Amino acid sequence: MQTNKQRATRRSHINALLVVGTGTKLWEVPTGPFASSSNFSESLQWEPHCQYHNIQDRVRITADIPPQLDGTWVSIRCEVRPGPEFLTRSYTFHPNRHFQALQHYYTDSSCEDPSYSLIVRGKIRLRQASWITRGATEAEHHLSKVAIVVHSLAAKQRLASRLPSTCVGLSLGRVVPGKLYELYNTRAGRGCLEALGFSMMEMGLVRVETQYHSHGRKVQELFLGDIHTDWTQRTQYKPTGYQQPLQNAMHHIHPCPVCALVYRSSDQRPPVLPRSPATYLSFGGRWVSQRCETRPNVLFLTRDFTFNPHQHAWEGIYRHYSDSACSQPTFTLRASGHYAQGNPSPKISGASEFVFKVTQVRATAMGEPTAKLLNSTKPGKCGRARGWEVGVEQDLTPTDGCTVLGIKLPHKEYELFKIELDHRKHPLLFIGERPTDGSSPDRPLRRPTSFQAPMVLCSGGSTQAARSGFNSKQVQLAASGTERLPQLVLLVFGSVLCGWLCVY
């Protein structure tokens, strides 16, 4: 078993190898062997029978480098961060590089009970096209002031257990709900922010996508850097993946009642989101990614899951790519096994706990570098010895996995899932977020407390609104307990063995 320090060393090795391209100018998109210099892509295309019409409709997507940040960007749903933390965000960027970020925190996963709001002011400077996360822009920021407004006496008591007794101009004993207090300025207050687990390191990685839909309508999304899943690491972590995006207040999905509430909010009037009706969902069917997904440590992939509730069986297909448009495949993993549903989550309302067992994994090399790497393994360690060919699937089960890929079979993971309806009343499946350090949730205490990008129901399943509560036997269906299998990094010239992403 490798330590987090060893994983970080591996990660540094990978990142160093990635800085090999043909870009010569500050804003020239790096173009290595696997990268694309194009900032144009199209929405994911699944088979015609896929019932989710937004995936069938071809949507042109652009992502300019450097991105245009001017304007206000807002949350489209109650966001869940590791911890868990529940929040909504409203970020405004000005032409002079100044920004104001408004973060509203809540006690519940529906964002109905506001706890406190943070008002953040600072400056951001876009530096260069990222050589690590292709398609992103690296940036640096400087905070000038952070203030807090507490919204209830109960919230004041909860903060008292987290914050130092005095934080710059804030004395918790004298806090009045609804009044603004300064937490941080350029001279003092860093300890207060650390006690809250607060940082704006997310500003270190930026991407703006513009989707051009039919009838001239467009949607703009702002992707900022991911938040580390380990609370102790989050204030220093330099992101290489993304959070769930914010949408431009002027160019967002329709209808979007949450967008309007967040846009009109202030530090004194946090948005109280409408309660969504509970949704019963038969948990058979197929779920797919909505977009090319970018994960920490230079991973681009799509997911495709199918579930058989009668046999409690699942299959997950992870297609890996070398570019942020998911147009250049590198390898594919097909995992399968069984699952068992546990209790409703005690931390996130409406979510359910699952246990997944992986019993079979098949792999397909989509390029010569990957095939060459797999053919270099010892007999009996990774499928049929020297039998790897591009485009030909191999079963890893007879060799109990693949040592060079870090796959060990069988394997068990503890997961978290939740189902919601989107703005068009289509079901969304939220799957537990993978640990940033590449470790595995292989015990109950490591169960995720936040979610990855939602997946959409492509075929099978049915929904109906319920008056109250979730039926935990019917609702939250799951996806693969091997979400960390897609973190097998073979995309760096096919020459780096990523042991820091091993499945234990």
Side-chain angles (χ1 to χ4, degrees):
M1 183 180 296
Q2 293 191 321
T3 65
N4 290 344
K5 183 176 181 181
Q6 288 172 317
R7 296 189 191 98
T9 301
R10 291 276 189 174
R11 187 183 301 115
S12 298
H13 186 196
I14 293 170
N15 291 343
L17 284 176
L18 278 172
V19 188
V20 179
T22 60
T24 57
K25 298 179 180 179
L26 187 64
W27 296 111
E28 183 176 338
V29 179
T31 55
F34 291 120
S36 171
S37 60
S38 173
N39 65 352
F40 167 82
S41 63
E42 293 180 314
S43 58
L44 293 180
Q45 298 297 297
W46 300 102
E47 291 82 348
H49 67 264
C50 185
Q51 295 175 4
Y52 193 82
H53 66 85
N54 273 8
I55 291 180
Q56 296 180 54
D57 297 338
R58 209 156 184 83
V59 177
R60 187 169 66 95
I61 302 172
T62 62
D64 293 331
I65 296 179
Q68 299 299 315
L69 298 179
D70 295 356
T72 298
W73 307 80
V74 297
S75 301
I76 63 171
R77 63 172 60 93
C78 186
E79 300 179 19
V80 182
R81 283 183 173 180
E85 284 184 331
F86 313 112
L87 76 158
T88 58
R89 297 178 288 160
S90 176
Y91 292 2
T92 300
F93 296 88
H94 302 284
N96 63 359
R97 299 192 299 155
H98 287 266
F99 71 85
Q100 175 175 302
L102 193 55
Q103 298 181 345
H104 304 287
Y105 291 83
Y106 302 79
T107 63
D108 64 302
S109 61
S110 299
C111 289
E112 297 180 60
D113 181 22
S115 180
Y116 63 93
S117 297
L118 295 179
I119 305 92
V120 185
R121 291 185 174 89
K123 294 184 71 174
I124 184 171
R125 183 173 74 90
L126 303 179
R127 295 182 56 232
Q128 63 184 17
S130 175
W131 289 88
I132 303 301
T133 306
R134 305 298 171 91
T137 294
E138 295 177 358
E140 60 184 24
H141 72 280
H142 298 282
L143 300 183
S144 56
K145 185 176 293 186
V146 180
I148 188 171
V149 175
V150 179
H151 297 303
S152 68
L153 291 175
K156 170 183 170 180
Q157 294 173 349
R158 287 189 295 268
L159 286 170
S161 64
R162 298 172 60 183
L163 292 174
S165 57
T166 52
C167 288
V168 192
L170 172 66
S171 176
L172 285 173
R174 297 193 296 271
V175 163
V176 176
K179 185 177 179 180
L180 185 115
Y181 296 90
E182 188 175 81
L183 275 181
Y184 168 88
N185 57 43
T186 55
R187 298 180 301 277
R190 189 171 299 278
C192 294
L193 302 186
E194 292 178 351
L196 280 175
F198 169 85
S199 83
M200 292 298 289
M201 294 297 288
E202 61 189 285
M203 294 284 192
L205 200 66
V206 182
R207 177 180 172 90
V208 172
E209 287 188 359
T210 302
Q211 304 171 11
Y212 296 91
H213 295 258
S214 58
H215 308 297
R217 184 173 59 88
K218 71 177 182 179
V219 173
Q220 288 187 309
E221 294 187 315
L222 170 61
F223 293 81
L224 296 173
D226 61 304
I227 306 299
H228 203 291
T229 54
D230 183 344
W231 183 278
T232 64
Q233 302 294 321
R234 65 192 301 178
T235 60
Q236 303 297 324
Y237 169 64
K238 186 175 181 179
T240 55
Y242 301 122
Q243 296 177 69
Q244 287 304 289
L246 302 175
Q247 292 199 358
N248 190 293
M250 299 296 105
H251 304 288
H252 56 74
I253 56 175
H254 290 281
C256 186
V258 172
C259 298
L261 289 172
V262 176
Y263 178 70
R264 293 196 296 263
S265 68
S266 68
D267 51 41
Q268 303 292 328
R269 294 181 294 104
V272 176
L273 303 193
R275 176 172 297 182
S276 300
T279 305
Y280 291 153
L281 177 68
S282 63
F283 51 88
R286 179 184 174 208
W287 302 80
V288 297
S289 297
Q290 296 184 84
R291 56 162 49 93
C292 183
E293 300 174 0
T294 301
R295 303 290 176 78
N297 311 307
V298 205
L299 298 175
F300 307 105
L301 74 153
T302 63
R303 297 170 292 155
D304 184 340
F305 297 131
T306 302
F307 302 94
N308 183 333
H310 303 293
Q311 298 181 7
H312 295 279
W314 63 271
E315 180 183 69
I317 303 173
Y318 310 86
R319 297 178 175 92
H320 284 249
Y321 303 82
S322 62
D323 65 306
S324 58
C326 286
S327 63
Q328 303 175 42
T330 53
F331 65 98
T332 297
L333 295 173
R334 183 189 300 266
S336 59
H338 294 84
Y339 65 87
Q341 182 171 350
N343 297 318
S345 170
K347 295 183 178 181
I348 301 178
S349 177
S352 288
E353 297 178 343
F354 282 80
V355 179
F356 281 82
K357 189 171 184 179
V358 189
T359 56
Q360 185 176 52
V361 176
R362 299 180 178 92
T364 305
M366 304 303 291
E368 288 293 346
T370 305
K372 183 177 180 181
L373 175 64
L374 296 176
N375 279 325
S376 69
T377 59
K378 296 180 180 179
K381 298 295 185 181
C382 187
R384 184 161 48 87
R386 302 191 180 281
W388 290 95
E389 300 178 23
V390 175
V392 179
E393 186 177 72
Q394 270 225 51
D395 189 358
L396 304 179
T397 311
T399 53
D400 297 326
C402 177
T403 54
V404 72
L405 298 182
I407 300 173
K408 183 179 179 180
L409 296 173
H411 173 65
K412 181 186 292 185
E413 287 196 351
Y414 294 82
E415 266 294 1
L416 182 73
F417 300 92
K418 185 176 183 179
I419 287 178
E420 296 180 0
L421 297 181
D422 69 5
H423 64 292
R424 296 181 183 275
K425 306 304 180 184
H426 292 117
L428 299 176
L429 174 62
F430 291 82
I431 305 169
E433 186 174 6
R434 308 308 302 170
T436 307
D437 66 2
S439 61
S440 170
D442 55 0
R443 62 194 69 174
L445 290 178
R446 292 183 177 177
R447 193 185 302 273
T449 57
S450 57
F451 299 105
Q452 303 173 50
M455 303 176 74
V456 293
L457 182 63
C458 183
S459 61
S462 61
T463 60
Q464 62 182 53
R467 291 188 177 181
S468 63
F470 278 108
N471 181 337
S472 63
K473 297 300 182 184
Q474 281 186 293
V475 192
Q476 291 88 6
L477 166 63
S480 152
T482 62
E483 258 313 293
R484 68 177 298 298
L485 290 177
Q487 295 179 331
L488 305 174
V489 183
L490 286 175
L491 50 89
V492 186
F493 311 131
S495 62
V496 181
L497 308 184
C498 298
W500 55 277
L501 288 175
C502 288
V503 176
Y504 302 131

